[in-house]
Amino acid sequence: MVIISLTLLGLAFGSFINALVWRLHKQSITKNKKQKAQLSIVNGRSRCVHCRHKLGMYDLIPVLSWLYLRGRCRYCHEPISLQYPLVELSTVILFIISYLYWPGFQDSILEMAEVVDFGVWLAALTGLIALVVYDLRWMLLPNKIIFPLLGLAGLNVLLQSILTSSADPLTSSLWGALIGAGIFYLLFQLSDGQWIGGGDVKLGFLLGILVGGPLPAFLMLFIASLLGTAYSLPRIIGGGLTVKARLPFGPFLIAGGIITKLFGQGIVDWYLNSFFY
Ligand SMILES: [Zn+2]
């Protein structure tokens, strides 16, 4: 039952991400104020990006509409990006994995704080996936997504501290955020903004709060650099990519954060067991 609800929720949030990313980008390149307001996510209907035809309910069913229409617009038959169903499916998969591997759900008694924490995580995941899509497409991490997420994560940490009557969530998240952002801030200053962008510093801060501590923050950075290296090394050796080429680091950092959040404790235990006993 939970899985079915999460699937439906993931599909809905996934299509929200697609609409959000597209509208934010349009907004950022539109000068006209009236058009800007029309593009607001709370305003107006979805339209085909090619022919601007208004889309009906049957065009907007996540994944299924795309499959049924074989990836083409019903009205102008122009291709619809594979991004749409891919994002929707990824959101569902991440929601379900999060539920199955959520560290706090292993206790049989569910506490209020845990449920709130999980709900906030699903909302945060939605924003993080939107950031990945945006960064991959336009090499940018928009503040319009990062700032609301920062507010949400900060509020959750406060709430966790109140619900568990302990200052631990607050202090450890703060340390996580300082480490997540601090290392990037250093790299940013050292390289004069050449290696990484200013958006990565803010993202490091946000993910530091979300993973919730200094050690997880280090683990996240480590996993992110492993993933980044694994991705770019073959391309540098093959000559397709120069060392100087700017790589969107956001997706790697976000992947590192998600892996740490869900599997961090398992990874640390495995490491200690394999090398220290
Ligand atoms: Zn169309």
Side-chain angles (χ1 to χ4, degrees), residues 203-252:
L203 181 63
F205 192 85
L206 168 68
L207 288 168
I209 301 179
L210 286 173
V211 295
L215 280 176
F218 276 119
L219 183 62
M220 164 183 85
L221 292 170
F222 178 68
I223 295 172
S225 17
L226 274 188
L227 292 174
T229 312
Y231 174 84
S232 48
L233 208 56
R235 283 164 185 77
I236 291 173
I237 292 168
L241 193 79
T242 55
V243 185
K244 271 191 155 174
R246 169 119 158 63
L247 195 74
F249 196 63
F252 297 113

Side-chain angles (χ1 to χ4, degrees), residues 31-79:
K31 292 274 179 293
N32 187 319
K33 266 202 178 131
K34 198 173 153 223
Q35 276 178 327
K36 263 194 174 158
Q38 278 173 349
L39 283 164
S40 159
I41 193 73
V42 288
N43 244 335
R45 297 268 301 276
S46 296
R47 290 162 185 271
C48 167
V49 291
H50 302 291
C51 65
R52 311 289 302 137
H53 196 291
K54 273 186 187 162
L55 298 179
M57 216 176 79
Y58 293 111
D59 301 311
L60 292 168
I61 303 165
V63 186
L64 293 180
S65 290
W66 192 89
L67 286 175
Y68 174 73
L69 296 165
R70 292 195 201 87
R72 288 180 181 277
C73 170
R74 187 193 301 272
Y75 310 99
C76 67
H77 307 290
E78 286 290 323

Side-chain angles (χ1 to χ4, degrees), residues 8-30:
L8 295 176
L9 200 67
L11 287 173
F13 280 31
S15 62
F16 169 76
I17 293 170
N18 282 320
L20 175 75
V21 166
W22 188 80
R23 283 177 187 226
L24 276 182
H25 177 65
K26 277 280 167 197
Q27 249 181 355
S28 73
I29 54 173
T30 308

Side-chain angles (χ1 to χ4, degrees), residues 12-154:
F13 280 31
S15 62
F16 169 76
I17 293 170
N18 282 320
L20 175 75
V21 166
W22 188 80
R23 283 177 187 226
L24 276 182
H25 177 65
K26 277 280 167 197
Q27 249 181 355
S28 73
I29 54 173
T30 308
K31 292 274 179 293
N32 187 319
K33 266 202 178 131
K34 198 173 153 223
Q35 276 178 327
K36 263 194 174 158
Q38 278 173 349
L39 283 164
S40 159
I41 193 73
V42 288
N43 244 335
R45 297 268 301 276
S46 296
R47 290 162 185 271
C48 167
V49 291
H50 302 291
C51 65
R52 311 289 302 137
H53 196 291
K54 273 186 187 162
L55 298 179
M57 216 176 79
Y58 293 111
D59 301 311
L60 292 168
I61 303 165
V63 186
L64 293 180
S65 290
W66 192 89
L67 286 175
Y68 174 73
L69 296 165
R70 292 195 201 87
R72 288 180 181 277
C73 170
R74 187 193 301 272
Y75 310 99
C76 67
H77 307 290
E78 286 290 323
I80 306 167
S81 165
L82 189 64
Q83 177 206 315
Y84 291 86
L86 269 186
V87 166
E88 286 154 1
L89 279 180
S90 313
T91 311
V92 171
I93 291 168
L94 281 173
F95 275 23
I96 291 176
I97 292 179
S98 293
Y99 171 69
L100 294 178
Y101 292 97
W102 190 252
F105 287 164
Q106 271 135 34
D107 310 323
S108 52
I109 307 157
L110 269 193
E111 293 188 13
M112 183 63 185
E114 207 58 62
V115 176
V116 171
D117 205 24
F118 184 67
V120 168
W121 172 248
L122 293 187
L125 258 183
T126 304
L128 292 175
I129 299 167
L131 285 174
V132 169
V133 178
Y134 210 101
D135 203 19
L136 287 177
R137 293 204 108 176
W138 297 294
M139 297 274 254
L140 208 84
L141 297 162
N143 285 339
K144 278 194 172 169
I145 304 179
I146 290 195
F147 287 157
L149 285 180
L150 272 174
L152 181 74

